[in-house]
């Protein structure tokens, strides 16, 4: 992350520690719509009923949820956020409130809507790139999307925007696949940061066969990160989370730190599992039995090593260690 954002996040985390808060948000996943212009094999959002797919979250509701939660960072997802007619206004209002905003998109509609946005030090596009051309197009179930996404990234970069990518890996990916796509994004496309995650077979995903288990995840990333490559890539993760992916450390899930707010409310317990909804973030904290979730507790969590559950644990562990804080600062 840019230094100013890292300092801001560190200051926020220190305040939570001084206040002795056990549970607090770090990043809010905001879903102002479920509709999407693609039908990706690993996503079940568009399986919502037709009436939900037609709905769009009002700007006031989206901003109120962010303010209620209090997280310093917001990741706007969906669905495809650029299908929301007021998404630019949501972004402007969040930036005006000094939030760090990531707008997630498959980038197909990005060239059409780019003019509605203005580069800002706290704003970045988060473009989904699930591999090089053939692999990505297979993942999104449509030919030509990789080239569209790459062209859109270049347009956004030329316009002065920060651009990040998000890549999900499956059991069909080899260590060389990981290396190839990260090398391309890092060295050829020159995106600002890259986010990675092992795929998790949550219940509504159409594809239930090609997901990584913990042992497969550790083996995949241990090999991909070898020979110093991990330090060379501009990965948007704490060193401890990358250690976690390699199997060097293990963590408990802290999904309460990256809550999801969607059209239906605050989703319990996390972005990837749906055990119902509550009206407020405080209800999510107070009325969810967090001891029931995580690997070794809930069978549905057995194969999950996703960043939405384990990255915040790594971030808090980093803050609690002078050695790890220094390591994160210089990495």
């Amino acid at each position: 992350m840019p230094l100013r954002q890292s300092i801001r996040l560190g200051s926020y985390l220190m305040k939570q520690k001084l206040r002795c808060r056990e549970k607090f948000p770090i990043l809010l996943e905001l879903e102002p719509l479920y509709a999407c212009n693609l039908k990706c094999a690993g996503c079940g959002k568009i399986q919502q009923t037709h009436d939900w797919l037609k709905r769009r979250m009002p700007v006031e509701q989206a901003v109120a949820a962010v303010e209620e939660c209090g997280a310093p960072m917001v990741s706007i997802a969906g669905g495809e956020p650029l299908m929301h007619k007021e998404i630019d206004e949501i972004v402007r209002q969040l930036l005006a409130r000094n939030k760090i905003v990531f707008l997630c998109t498959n980038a197909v509609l990005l060239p059409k809507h780019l003019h509605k946005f203005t580069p800002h030090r706290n704003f970045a596009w988060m473009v989904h790139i699930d591999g090089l051309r053939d692999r990505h197009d297979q993942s999104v179930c449509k030919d030509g999307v990789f080239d569209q996404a790459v062209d859109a990234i270049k347009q956004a970069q030329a316009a002065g925007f920060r651009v990040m990518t998000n890549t999900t890996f499956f059991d069909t990916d080899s260590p060389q696949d990981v290396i190839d796509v990260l090398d391309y994004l890092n060295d050829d496309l020159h995106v600002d940061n890259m986010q990675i995650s092992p795929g998790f077979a949550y219940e509504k995903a159409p594809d239930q066969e090609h997901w990584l288990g913990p042992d497969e995840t550790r083996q995949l990333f241990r090999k991909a990160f070898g020979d110093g490559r991990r330090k060379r890539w501009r990965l948007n993760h704490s060193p401890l989370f990358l250690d976690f992916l390699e199997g060097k450390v293990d963590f408990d899930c802290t999904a309460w730190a990256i809550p999801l707010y969607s059209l239906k409310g605050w989703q319990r317990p996390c972005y990837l599992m749906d055990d119902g909804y509550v009206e407020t973030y405080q209800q999510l904290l107070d009325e969810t039995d967090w001891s029931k979730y995580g690997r070794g507790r809930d069978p549905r969590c057995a194969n999950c090593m996703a960043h939405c559950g384990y990255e915040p644990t790594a971030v808090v562990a980093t803050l609690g260690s002078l050695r790890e804080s220094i390591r994160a600062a210089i990495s």
Side-chain angles (χ1 to χ4, degrees):
M1 296 177 66
L3 180 60
R4 62 181 176 274
Q5 292 184 2
S6 297
I7 292 173
R8 180 163 173 225
L9 179 58
S11 175
Y12 169 81
L13 293 172
M14 185 61 70
K15 288 179 182 178
Q16 309 313 308
K17 186 174 183 179
L18 292 174
R19 293 171 181 171
C20 299
R21 294 184 65 185
E22 293 185 2
K23 295 182 176 64
F24 50 86
I26 294 176
L27 178 145
L28 169 62
E29 291 276 2
L30 177 67
E31 289 185 348
L33 79 172
Y34 294 127
C36 190
N37 55 335
L38 294 176
K39 298 180 180 180
C40 303
C43 178
K45 296 298 179 180
I46 60 171
Q47 292 186 14
Q48 297 286 343
T49 58
H50 183 65
D51 61 323
W52 283 109
L53 291 175
K54 291 192 301 181
R55 298 188 190 188
R56 304 291 185 266
M57 186 181 293
V59 174
E60 296 77 12
Q61 182 181 346
V63 173
V66 174
E67 291 190 319
E68 174 200 346
C69 176
M73 300 187 293
V74 182
S75 177
I76 306 177
E80 170 51 58
L82 290 177
M83 293 177 66
H84 192 299
K85 292 183 179 180
E86 295 183 290
I87 192 63
D88 54 320
E89 182 61 24
I90 292 175
V91 169
R92 277 192 292 271
Q93 292 209 23
L94 295 182
L95 291 175
R97 288 162 173 77
N98 201 30
K99 300 298 181 181
I100 298 168
V101 180
F102 310 100
L103 183 52
C104 302
T105 176
N106 56 46
V108 172
L109 300 174
L110 183 52
K112 179 181 178 181
H113 296 279
L114 190 61
H115 69 281
K116 300 178 182 178
F117 299 84
T118 302
H120 190 286
R121 65 179 186 175
N122 285 333
F123 175 74
W125 297 100
M126 178 76 78
V127 180
H128 295 271
I129 299 288
D130 283 343
L132 296 181
R133 181 177 290 105
D134 291 344
R135 179 69 189 85
H136 180 73
D137 288 353
Q138 179 187 31
S139 177
V140 301
C141 304
K142 187 175 182 180
D143 293 338
V145 175
F146 176 83
D147 290 334
Q148 288 179 286
V150 169
D151 288 343
I153 288 172
K154 291 178 179 178
Q155 289 183 45
Q157 290 172 326
F161 289 93
R162 291 186 67 242
V163 181
M164 304 169 64
T165 55
N166 184 13
T167 304
T168 304
F169 295 104
F170 302 85
D171 70 357
T172 51
D173 291 305
S174 68
Q176 191 60 50
D177 291 329
V178 178
I179 294 168
D180 289 345
V181 68
L182 294 183
D183 275 349
Y184 175 75
L185 296 171
N186 193 85
D187 302 336
D188 297 326
L189 206 51
H190 302 290
V191 299
D192 291 275
N193 293 104
M194 298 167 290
Q195 185 169 289
I196 58 177
S197 185
F200 171 62
Y202 67 103
E203 294 171 310
K204 292 185 179 180
D207 183 352
Q208 291 289 318
E209 298 179 1
H210 299 108
W211 305 88
L212 291 163
D215 291 340
E216 295 170 303
T217 295
R218 293 166 184 143
Q219 184 177 16
L220 176 68
F221 288 108
R222 191 179 299 123
K223 292 180 179 179
F225 289 166
D227 298 326
R229 284 181 291 268
R230 171 179 145 178
K231 294 182 179 180
R232 188 174 61 80
W233 292 323
R234 293 183 296 277
L235 296 173
N236 185 45
H237 296 287
S238 65
L240 276 177
F241 178 72
L242 299 177
D243 288 347
F244 169 74
L245 291 182
E246 288 192 66
K248 294 179 179 178
V249 296
D250 201 10
F251 292 121
D252 289 330
C253 174
T254 50
W256 40 262
I258 303 186
L260 168 68
Y261 183 77
S262 70
L263 289 164
K264 295 183 179 182
W266 297 91
Q267 183 168 308
R268 180 189 295 156
C270 68
Y271 174 71
L272 294 168
M273 290 172 57
D274 182 356
D275 282 356
Y277 298 83
V278 292
E279 293 184 1
T280 69
Y281 177 65
Q282 195 60 49
Q283 282 181 282
L284 179 70
L285 293 184
D286 296 342
E287 298 177 11
T288 304
D289 185 355
W290 299 102
S291 65
K292 291 169 48 179
Y293 299 102
R295 283 182 289 112
R297 298 171 180 173
D298 189 312
R300 296 172 297 174
C301 303
N303 292 325
C304 182
M305 294 182 69
H307 65 269
C308 61
Y310 295 96
E311 178 79 86
T313 322
V315 169
V316 172
T318 297
L319 180 66
S321 165
L322 177 60
R323 175 178 176 274
E324 292 298 337
S325 296
I326 294 173
R327 181 184 174 209
I330 64 176
S331 63

mmCIF file of all heavy atoms in Angstrom, residues 286-310:
data_model
loop_
_atom_site.group_PDB
_atom_site.id
_atom_site.type_symbol
_atom_site.label_atom_id
_atom_site.label_comp_id
_atom_site.label_asym_id
_atom_site.label_seq_id
_atom_site.Cartn_x
_atom_site.Cartn_y
_atom_site.Cartn_z
ATOM 1 N N ASP A 286 -22.427 -8.950 17.791
ATOM 2 C CA ASP A 286 -22.968 -9.443 19.057
ATOM 3 C C ASP A 286 -23.792 -10.717 18.923
ATOM 4 O O ASP A 286 -23.833 -11.531 19.858
ATOM 5 C CB ASP A 286 -23.849 -8.366 19.715
ATOM 6 C CG ASP A 286 -23.063 -7.120 20.096
ATOM 7 O OD1 ASP A 286 -21.821 -7.207 20.167
ATOM 8 O OD2 ASP A 286 -23.700 -6.066 20.289
ATOM 9 N N GLU A 287 -24.458 -10.904 17.786
ATOM 10 C CA GLU A 287 -25.404 -12.002 17.657
ATOM 11 C C GLU A 287 -24.881 -13.172 16.824
ATOM 12 O O GLU A 287 -25.619 -14.124 16.561
ATOM 13 C CB GLU A 287 -26.709 -11.478 17.046
ATOM 14 C CG GLU A 287 -27.385 -10.420 17.912
ATOM 15 C CD GLU A 287 -28.636 -9.840 17.269
ATOM 16 O OE1 GLU A 287 -29.091 -10.419 16.249
ATOM 17 O OE2 GLU A 287 -29.149 -8.816 17.771
ATOM 18 N N THR A 288 -23.624 -13.095 16.415
ATOM 19 C CA THR A 288 -23.015 -14.200 15.672
ATOM 20 C C THR A 288 -22.109 -14.986 16.607
ATOM 21 O O THR A 288 -21.278 -14.402 17.306
ATOM 22 C CB THR A 288 -22.175 -13.669 14.483
ATOM 23 O OG1 THR A 288 -22.999 -12.861 13.655
ATOM 24 C CG2 THR A 288 -21.603 -14.825 13.676
ATOM 25 N N ASP A 289 -22.267 -16.287 16.627
ATOM 26 C CA ASP A 289 -21.406 -17.141 17.444
ATOM 27 C C ASP A 289 -20.133 -17.422 16.647
ATOM 28 O O ASP A 289 -20.043 -18.404 15.910
ATOM 29 C CB ASP A 289 -22.128 -18.447 17.794
ATOM 30 C CG ASP A 289 -21.325 -19.322 18.749
ATOM 31 O OD1 ASP A 289 -20.171 -18.959 19.063
ATOM 32 O OD2 ASP A 289 -21.834 -20.378 19.162
ATOM 33 N N TRP A 290 -19.157 -16.537 16.783
ATOM 34 C CA TRP A 290 -17.944 -16.632 15.983
ATOM 35 C C TRP A 290 -17.133 -17.879 16.293
ATOM 36 O O TRP A 290 -16.339 -18.334 15.454
ATOM 37 C CB TRP A 290 -17.092 -15.376 16.192
ATOM 38 C CG TRP A 290 -17.804 -14.136 15.761
ATOM 39 C CD1 TRP A 290 -18.427 -13.221 16.572
ATOM 40 C CD2 TRP A 290 -18.013 -13.684 14.420
ATOM 41 N NE1 TRP A 290 -19.005 -12.229 15.822
ATOM 42 C CE2 TRP A 290 -18.759 -12.479 14.495
ATOM 43 C CE3 TRP A 290 -17.636 -14.162 13.167
ATOM 44 C CZ2 TRP A 290 -19.137 -11.776 13.356
ATOM 45 C CZ3 TRP A 290 -18.004 -13.452 12.037
ATOM 46 C CH2 TRP A 290 -18.747 -12.273 12.136
ATOM 47 N N SER A 291 -17.335 -18.460 17.470
ATOM 48 C CA SER A 291 -16.585 -19.661 17.835
ATOM 49 C C SER A 291 -16.992 -20.872 17.000
ATOM 50 O O SER A 291 -16.297 -21.890 16.992
ATOM 51 C CB SER A 291 -16.785 -19.977 19.318
ATOM 52 O OG SER A 291 -18.146 -20.319 19.586
ATOM 53 N N LYS A 292 -18.095 -20.764 16.277
ATOM 54 C CA LYS A 292 -18.581 -21.876 15.453
ATOM 55 C C LYS A 292 -17.879 -21.948 14.102
ATOM 56 O O LYS A 292 -17.959 -22.975 13.416
ATOM 57 C CB LYS A 292 -20.086 -21.730 15.208
ATOM 58 C CG LYS A 292 -20.960 -21.942 16.426
ATOM 59 C CD LYS A 292 -22.386 -21.528 16.151
ATOM 60 C CE LYS A 292 -22.941 -22.089 14.855
ATOM 61 N NZ LYS A 292 -24.351 -21.675 14.619
ATOM 62 N N TYR A 293 -17.198 -20.859 13.705
ATOM 63 C CA TYR A 293 -16.688 -20.776 12.334
ATOM 64 C C TYR A 293 -15.169 -20.877 12.281
ATOM 65 O O TYR A 293 -14.472 -20.586 13.245
ATOM 66 C CB TYR A 293 -17.147 -19.459 11.700
ATOM 67 C CG TYR A 293 -18.646 -19.331 11.607
ATOM 68 C CD1 TYR A 293 -19.357 -18.545 12.509
ATOM 69 C CD2 TYR A 293 -19.367 -20.022 10.638
ATOM 70 C CE1 TYR A 293 -20.740 -18.427 12.434
ATOM 71 C CE2 TYR A 293 -20.749 -19.927 10.552
ATOM 72 C CZ TYR A 293 -21.423 -19.121 11.452
ATOM 73 O OH TYR A 293 -22.787 -19.033 11.379
ATOM 74 N N GLY A 294 -14.691 -21.278 11.097
ATOM 75 C CA GLY A 294 -13.257 -21.425 10.871
ATOM 76 C C GLY A 294 -12.895 -22.888 10.671
ATOM 77 O O GLY A 294 -13.675 -23.797 11.005
ATOM 78 N N ARG A 295 -11.709 -23.108 10.105
ATOM 79 C CA ARG A 295 -11.267 -24.485 9.863
ATOM 80 C C ARG A 295 -11.169 -25.249 11.178
ATOM 81 O O ARG A 295 -10.651 -24.752 12.165
ATOM 82 C CB ARG A 295 -9.902 -24.469 9.149
ATOM 83 C CG ARG A 295 -10.030 -24.147 7.665
ATOM 84 C CD ARG A 295 -8.708 -24.165 6.927
ATOM 85 N NE ARG A 295 -7.875 -23.039 7.301
ATOM 86 C CZ ARG A 295 -6.750 -23.130 7.975
ATOM 87 N NH1 ARG A 295 -6.307 -24.305 8.362
ATOM 88 N NH2 ARG A 295 -6.048 -22.065 8.270
ATOM 89 N N GLY A 296 -11.721 -26.478 11.169
ATOM 90 C CA GLY A 296 -11.743 -27.303 12.363
ATOM 91 C C GLY A 296 -12.980 -27.091 13.214
ATOM 92 O O GLY A 296 -13.166 -27.790 14.219
ATOM 93 N N ARG A 297 -13.832 -26.153 12.811
ATOM 94 C CA ARG A 297 -15.045 -25.867 13.567
ATOM 95 C C ARG A 297 -16.294 -26.129 12.752
ATOM 96 O O ARG A 297 -17.181 -26.861 13.174
ATOM 97 C CB ARG A 297 -15.024 -24.413 14.060
ATOM 98 C CG ARG A 297 -13.872 -24.106 15.008
ATOM 99 C CD ARG A 297 -13.768 -22.629 15.297
ATOM 100 N NE ARG A 297 -12.662 -22.327 16.198
ATOM 101 C CZ ARG A 297 -12.263 -21.104 16.511
ATOM 102 N NH1 ARG A 297 -12.910 -20.060 15.994
ATOM 103 N NH2 ARG A 297 -11.250 -20.918 17.319
ATOM 104 N N ASP A 298 -16.374 -25.506 11.583
ATOM 105 C CA ASP A 298 -17.504 -25.693 10.681
ATOM 106 C C ASP A 298 -17.003 -26.447 9.458
ATOM 107 O O ASP A 298 -16.035 -26.001 8.823
ATOM 108 C CB ASP A 298 -18.087 -24.341 10.280
ATOM 109 C CG ASP A 298 -19.400 -24.460 9.514
ATOM 110 O OD1 ASP A 298 -19.456 -25.278 8.564
ATOM 111 O OD2 ASP A 298 -20.354 -23.727 9.835
ATOM 112 N N PRO A 299 -17.634 -27.569 9.093
ATOM 113 C CA PRO A 299 -17.171 -28.340 7.931
ATOM 114 C C PRO A 299 -17.111 -27.514 6.650
ATOM 115 O O PRO A 299 -16.277 -27.776 5.786
ATOM 116 C CB PRO A 299 -18.212 -29.460 7.815
ATOM 117 C CG PRO A 299 -18.781 -29.603 9.187
ATOM 118 C CD PRO A 299 -18.775 -28.227 9.775
ATOM 119 N N ARG A 300 -17.967 -26.509 6.532
ATOM 120 C CA ARG A 300 -17.955 -25.666 5.333
ATOM 121 C C ARG A 300 -16.688 -24.818 5.239
ATOM 122 O O ARG A 300 -16.337 -24.335 4.169
ATOM 123 C CB ARG A 300 -19.189 -24.757 5.323
ATOM 124 C CG ARG A 300 -20.512 -25.503 5.235
ATOM 125 C CD ARG A 300 -21.668 -24.541 5.428
ATOM 126 N NE ARG A 300 -21.658 -23.938 6.758
ATOM 127 C CZ ARG A 300 -22.490 -22.982 7.163
ATOM 128 N NH1 ARG A 300 -23.399 -22.505 6.325
ATOM 129 N NH2 ARG A 300 -22.407 -22.498 8.392
ATOM 130 N N CYS A 301 -16.021 -24.625 6.363
ATOM 131 C CA CYS A 301 -14.806 -23.808 6.407
ATOM 132 C C CYS A 301 -13.535 -24.640 6.209
ATOM 133 O O CYS A 301 -12.429 -24.077 6.215
ATOM 134 C CB CYS A 301 -14.709 -23.083 7.744
ATOM 135 S SG CYS A 301 -16.121 -22.035 8.169
ATOM 136 N N ALA A 302 -13.680 -25.944 6.043
ATOM 137 C CA ALA A 302 -12.518 -26.844 6.073
ATOM 138 C C ALA A 302 -11.453 -26.488 5.048
ATOM 139 O O ALA A 302 -10.249 -26.630 5.312
ATOM 140 C CB ALA A 302 -12.982 -28.285 5.873
ATOM 141 N N ASN A 303 -11.860 -26.033 3.869
ATOM 142 C CA ASN A 303 -10.890 -25.749 2.807
ATOM 143 C C ASN A 303 -10.615 -24.263 2.611
ATOM 144 O O ASN A 303 -9.939 -23.884 1.649
ATOM 145 C CB ASN A 303 -11.386 -26.343 1.487
ATOM 146 C CG ASN A 303 -11.374 -27.857 1.504
ATOM 147 O OD1 ASN A 303 -10.495 -28.465 2.098
ATOM 148 N ND2 ASN A 303 -12.358 -28.476 0.870
ATOM 149 N N CYS A 304 -11.113 -23.423 3.503
ATOM 150 C CA CYS A 304 -10.997 -21.982 3.298
ATOM 151 C C CYS A 304 -9.668 -21.439 3.816
ATOM 152 O O CYS A 304 -9.296 -21.646 4.975
ATOM 153 C CB CYS A 304 -12.148 -21.247 3.993
ATOM 154 S SG CYS A 304 -12.089 -19.461 3.741
ATOM 155 N N MET A 305 -8.965 -20.734 2.926
ATOM 156 C CA MET A 305 -7.783 -19.955 3.317
ATOM 157 C C MET A 305 -7.872 -18.569 2.667
ATOM 158 O O MET A 305 -6.862 -17.939 2.354
ATOM 159 C CB MET A 305 -6.501 -20.677 2.903
ATOM 160 C CG MET A 305 -6.271 -21.982 3.643
ATOM 161 S SD MET A 305 -4.725 -22.811 3.202
ATOM 162 C CE MET A 305 -3.494 -21.719 3.903
ATOM 163 N N ALA A 306 -9.090 -18.103 2.461
ATOM 164 C CA ALA A 306 -9.323 -16.860 1.743
ATOM 165 C C ALA A 306 -8.877 -15.653 2.564
ATOM 166 O O ALA A 306 -8.943 -15.652 3.801
ATOM 167 C CB ALA A 306 -10.800 -16.730 1.389
ATOM 168 N N HIS A 307 -8.462 -14.613 1.866
ATOM 169 C CA HIS A 307 -7.946 -13.421 2.548
ATOM 170 C C HIS A 307 -9.015 -12.732 3.376
ATOM 171 O O HIS A 307 -8.694 -12.066 4.360
ATOM 172 C CB HIS A 307 -7.354 -12.450 1.529
ATOM 173 C CG HIS A 307 -8.328 -11.876 0.569
ATOM 174 N ND1 HIS A 307 -8.600 -12.449 -0.642
ATOM 175 C CD2 HIS A 307 -9.117 -10.773 0.647
ATOM 176 C CE1 HIS A 307 -9.506 -11.728 -1.274
ATOM 177 N NE2 HIS A 307 -9.843 -10.724 -0.528
ATOM 178 N N CYS A 308 -10.309 -12.882 3.022
ATOM 179 C CA CYS A 308 -11.352 -12.198 3.772
ATOM 180 C C CYS A 308 -11.465 -12.713 5.202
ATOM 181 O O CYS A 308 -12.005 -12.018 6.071
ATOM 182 C CB CYS A 308 -12.697 -12.312 3.058
ATOM 183 S SG CYS A 308 -13.292 -13.996 2.839
ATOM 184 N N GLY A 309 -10.957 -13.897 5.478
ATOM 185 C CA GLY A 309 -10.987 -14.425 6.837
ATOM 186 C C GLY A 309 -9.655 -14.365 7.542
ATOM 187 O O GLY A 309 -9.587 -14.185 8.764
ATOM 188 N N TYR A 310 -8.567 -14.496 6.776
ATOM 189 C CA TYR A 310 -7.261 -14.678 7.406
ATOM 190 C C TYR A 310 -6.303 -13.504 7.250
ATOM 191 O O TYR A 310 -5.367 -13.366 8.035
ATOM 192 C CB TYR A 310 -6.618 -15.964 6.870
ATOM 193 C CG TYR A 310 -7.409 -17.186 7.267
ATOM 194 C CD1 TYR A 310 -8.348 -17.762 6.407
ATOM 195 C CD2 TYR A 310 -7.269 -17.738 8.541
ATOM 196 C CE1 TYR A 310 -9.092 -18.861 6.794
ATOM 197 C CE2 TYR A 310 -8.018 -18.835 8.933
ATOM 198 C CZ TYR A 310 -8.923 -19.393 8.055
ATOM 199 O OH TYR A 310 -9.677 -20.482 8.440
#
